[in-house]
C-alpha cells in the first residue's frame, strides 16, 4: 500500500460590497490509499480512475482497440466520447463517469430481435409455418444461445475491443488468476452497448447490418462449438 | 431458527439460509413463507425470480420433447414441433368471432384467419393443435424492442430501472391483458362441453375464443376452483397477453415489419402511461446535490418566492429550487418543508424526464442521431 498525503487551503473571500476581507486559513491533511483496499481509508481518486494501467479519459490509447475494430468492420464513425462511454461499465469509478448501461439495454433488445428475425428468415418446408416463417425454431436451445451473455462477451473478446474496458471486477477468492476474471454479464455489455450506440447514432438499419455482417457469423460459430462440445460430453457420459 | 420464526420470515430472508437447510425442509419453508393460495396456484421455483413479465415472455424456453429434431441445431428451417392438427383457412373463415376480430383490428387481407386462430390457441397438454407459444415469443421480442426504442428516443435520460418499469407498463402481462380483453374484445373459452352442447354451438366456434390451461376455474358465479394438475397451466393475464404477442408476430409474418411497427404504435404506444409517477425519491435533496455536482452545476438553494396566510390554518408557500441564478423547479405546499421537498422532486423529475422536441426513433425514416445521456448518478 502506498499512502499519499495532500493538503488543502481554503481560499479568501470578500463579504458583501464592503472592502472587508475575510481570510480563513485552514489546513487539513487527507490520506489517500493506493493499491489494495484498506478499511477506513479513502482511495486515491487517481487509483479509482485507472484500470490495468490505463488512465480513464478520451485518449488515442484508450480508444485504439475499439476504433481499430470499427474501422476493420466498416462501421460509420462514432463520437470519441460515445466510444469511451461504450467501454465504460457502471461499476467503474462508482458510476461517476458516463457508462454504457442504457446503450446496452437498447442494443440487447435489437440483438435479440435480429437473432429471432435471422432464425425466421431461414427457408423451411414446415407445414405449420406462418407466412413462410418457421416459428417452431424459436425458444429452442440453439435460438436462445444466439443472444446469451456468454456468446456476446466472447464476441467482444474475440474482436479485441474488450482489451481496454473500464470496469471494476472483484474475482472470487477461489479464482486462481484474478486478472483473467472476466464476468460474461459485464463483458457482454461491450457488444450490446456498441450495437446500441450504432443504432442511436446511425439508425436501426445500419445497426442491423452490423449485427448481420459482424456479430451473427461469429456468434453462430461460437454456438456451434458449444453445441458440439455439449454433445461430445453427453455421449461420453452415456458411455 | 425456530419454526415459528420461520413462519414469518420472508422469502428473501429464507434464501440466505438455503445452504444450511436440508432440501426437503427448504421446500417446506418456501410454502410457509408464501400465501397459502399462491402455493396452490403457482409452480414452485428453485430460486427467486425478479424479472418483469415482459422479460419472462422474451425468454420463454421450449421443452426439448416437443420437438421432432435436436434443439441445438442451427438449421432453423428444419425445426418442427410435434403438432398434428391445425385449423385450415377455410374453416377459420367460418368462425364469426375470428372474422369480427380481424375486422376490429383492421388487419390487411394478407393476414390469414387461420393465423388468428393459432394466436388464440395456447399450449395445453391434451391438444395436438398448433399453438401460439413461439409466435408469442417473437411478438414479445418485437414489442419489447419497439417500446424500448420509443422510450429511449422520447426520454433519453430515463434511469434504466424506470425504463424497464415503463416498458412493463406498456407491454407487461396485465397491460396486454387489458388490451386483449377490453379493447380488442377477445373472449376466453370458459364454457364446459356440456354447456356448448346444450347451446348447440358448432364445434368450430370454440377456436374463435382464447383456449388455455388455467390455474383456476370458475365453477359458478362467486366460486373459484383453485388448482390445476397441468404443468402447462398459465394465468389468465399471461394467456391473454400471449395472444396479443402472437397476433403481433402474425402481422410480421404476413405484412412485414413496417406494418407491425405501425400496428404497435397504434395499439400499444398510443396508450398513455405516466412515467413521472414511477419515480420515488427517498432523499431528493441529497440526490439533487449529487446530480448537480455530476453536471458541474452549482449546489441547489431553496428560495421563498411567495407566501400567504403564514399564521392562518391554511398557509400556502411557494418556493423555488435554484442552482446559481437558474431556477430548476418550483414547489408549493402548506408548509415550507413540503414546498421545499416538492421543488426538489420536481427539479429531479425535470432532469430525468427531459424530452427532446419532436423525438424520432432509430427505426424512423427521418431519424436524427439520438441524444445519449451519461447515465444516472448513483453514488
Amino acid at each position: 500500500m502506498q499512502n499519499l498525503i495532500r493538503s488543502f487551503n481554503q481560499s479568501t473571500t470578500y463579504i458583501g460590497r464592503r472592502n472587508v476581507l475575510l481570510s480563513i486559513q485552514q489546513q487539513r491533511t487527507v490520506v489517500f490509499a493506493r493499491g489494495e483496499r484498506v478499511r477506513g481509508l479513502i482511495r486515491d481518486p487517481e487509483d479509482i480512475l485507472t484500470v490495468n494501467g490505463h488512465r480513464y479519459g478520451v485518449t488515442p490509447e484508450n480508444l485504439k482497440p475499439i476504433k481499430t475494430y470499427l474501422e476493420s468492420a466498416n462501421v460509420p464513425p462514432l463520437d470519441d466520447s460515445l466510444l469511451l462511454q461504450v467501454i465504460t461499465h457502471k461499476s467503474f469509478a462508482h458510476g461517476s463517469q458516463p457508462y454504457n448501461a442504457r446503450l446496452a439495454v437498447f442494443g440487447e433488445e435489437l440483438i435479440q430481435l435480429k437473432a429471432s428475425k435471422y432464425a425466421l428468415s431461414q427457408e423451411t418446408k414446415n407445414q405449420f409455418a406462418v407466412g413462410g416463417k418457421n416459428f417452431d425454431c424459436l425458444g429452442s436451445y440453439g435460438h436462445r444461445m444466439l443472444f446469451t451473455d456468454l456468446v456476446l462477451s466472447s464476441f467482444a473478446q474475440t474482436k479485441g475491443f474488450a482489451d481496454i474496458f473500464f470496469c471494476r471486477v472483484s474475482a472470487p477468492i477461489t479464482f486462481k488468476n484474478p486478472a483473467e476474471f472476466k464476468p460474461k454479464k459485464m463483458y457482454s455489455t461491450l457488444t450490446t452497448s456498441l450495437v446500441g450506440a450504432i443504432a442511436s447514432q446511425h439508425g436501426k438499419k445500419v445497426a442491423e447490418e452490423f449485427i448481420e455482417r459482424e456479430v451473427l457469423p461469429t456468434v453462430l460459430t461460437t454456438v456451434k462449438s458449444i453445441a458440439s462440445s455439449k454433445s461430445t460430453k453427453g455421449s461420453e457420459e452415456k458411455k | 431458527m425456530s419454526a415459528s420464526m420461520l413462519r414469518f420470515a420472508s422469502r428473501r430472508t429464507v434464501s440466505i439460509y438455503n445452504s444450511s437447510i436440508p432440501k426437503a425442509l427448504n421446500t417446506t419453508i418456501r410454502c410457509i413463507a408464501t400465501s397459502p393460495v399462491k402455493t396452490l396456484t403457482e409452480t414452485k421455483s428453485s430460486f427467486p425470480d425478479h424479472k418483469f413479465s415482459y422479460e419472462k415472455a422474451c425468454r420463454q424456453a421450449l421443452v426439448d420433447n416437443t420437438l421432432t429434431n435436436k434443439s441445438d441445431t442451427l438449421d432453423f428451417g428444419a425445426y418442427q414441433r410435434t403438432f398434428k392438427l391445425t385449423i385450415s383457412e377455410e374453416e377459420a373463415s367460418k368462425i364469426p368471432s375470428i372474422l369480427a376480430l380481424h375486422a376490429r383490428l383492421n388487419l390487411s387481407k394478407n393476414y390469414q384467419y387461420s393465423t388468428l386462430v393459432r394466436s388464440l390457441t395456447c399450449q395445453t397438454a391434451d391438444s395436438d393443435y398448433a399453438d401460439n407459444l413461439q409466435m408469442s415469443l417473437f411478438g414479445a421480442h418485437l414489442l419489447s424492442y419497439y417500446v424500448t426504442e420509443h422510450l429511449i428516443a422520447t426520454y433519453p435520460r430515463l434511469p434504466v430501472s424506470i425504463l424497464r418499469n415503463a416498458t412493463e407498463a406498456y407491454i407487461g402481462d396485465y397491460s396486454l391483458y387489458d388490451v386483449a380483453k377490453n379493447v380488442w374484445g377477445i373472449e376466453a373459452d370458459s364454457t364446459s362441453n356440456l354447456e356448448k352442447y346444450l347451446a348447440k354451438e358448432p364445434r368450430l366456434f370454440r377456436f374463435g375464443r382464447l383456449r388455455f390451461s388455467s390455474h383456476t376455474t370458475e365453477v359458478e358465479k362467486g366460486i373459484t376452483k383453485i388448482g390445476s394438475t397441468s404443468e402447462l397451466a398459465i394465468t389468465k393475464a399471461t394467456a391473454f397477453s400471449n395472444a396479443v404477442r402472437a397476433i403481433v408476430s402474425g402481422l410480421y409474418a404476413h405484412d412485414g415489419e413496417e406494418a407491425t411497427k405501425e400496428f404497435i404504435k397504434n395499439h400499444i404506444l398510443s396508450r398513455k402511461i405516466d412515467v413521472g409517477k414511477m419515480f420515488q425519491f427517498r432523499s431528493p435533496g441529497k440526490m439533487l446535490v449529487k446530480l448537480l455536482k455530476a453536471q458541474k452545476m452549482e449546489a441547489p438553494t431553496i428560495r421563498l418566492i411567495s407566501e400567504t396566510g403564514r399564521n392562518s390554518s391554511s398557509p400556502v408557500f411557494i418556493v423555488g429550487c435554484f442552482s446559481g441564478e437558474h431556477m430548476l423547479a418550483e414547489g408549493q405546499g402548506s408548509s415550507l418543508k413540503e414546498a421545499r421537498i416538492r421543488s426538489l422532486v420536481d427539479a429531479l423529475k425535470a432532469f430525468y424526464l427531459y424530452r427532446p422536441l419532436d423525438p424520432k426513433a432509430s427505426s424512423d425514416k427521418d431519424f436524427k442521431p439520438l441524444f445519449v445521456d451519461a447515465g444516472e448518478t448513483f453514488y
Side-chain angles (χ1 to χ4, degrees), chain B residues 100-118:
Chain B
L101 184 61
H102 195 282
R104 200 177 299 133
L105 298 183
N106 203 13
L107 299 172
S108 73
K109 285 178 184 174
N110 300 333
Y111 201 113
Q112 293 182 349
Y113 296 120
S114 55
T115 309
L116 271 183
V117 171
R118 184 168 171 178

Side-chain angles (χ1 to χ4, degrees), chain B residues 32 47 69 118 133 145 176-177 243 332 334:
Chain B
I32 293 165
F47 53 89
N69 58 308
R118 184 168 171 178
L133 179 73
Y145 172 73
L176 294 184
Y177 175 37
Q332 67 166 42
S334 56

Side-chain angles (χ1 to χ4, degrees), chain A residues 218-231:
Chain A
T218 316
V219 159
L220 285 168
T221 317
T222 317
V223 174
K224 262 180 202 169
S225 64
I226 293 169
S228 61
S229 65
K230 190 187 155 197
S231 60

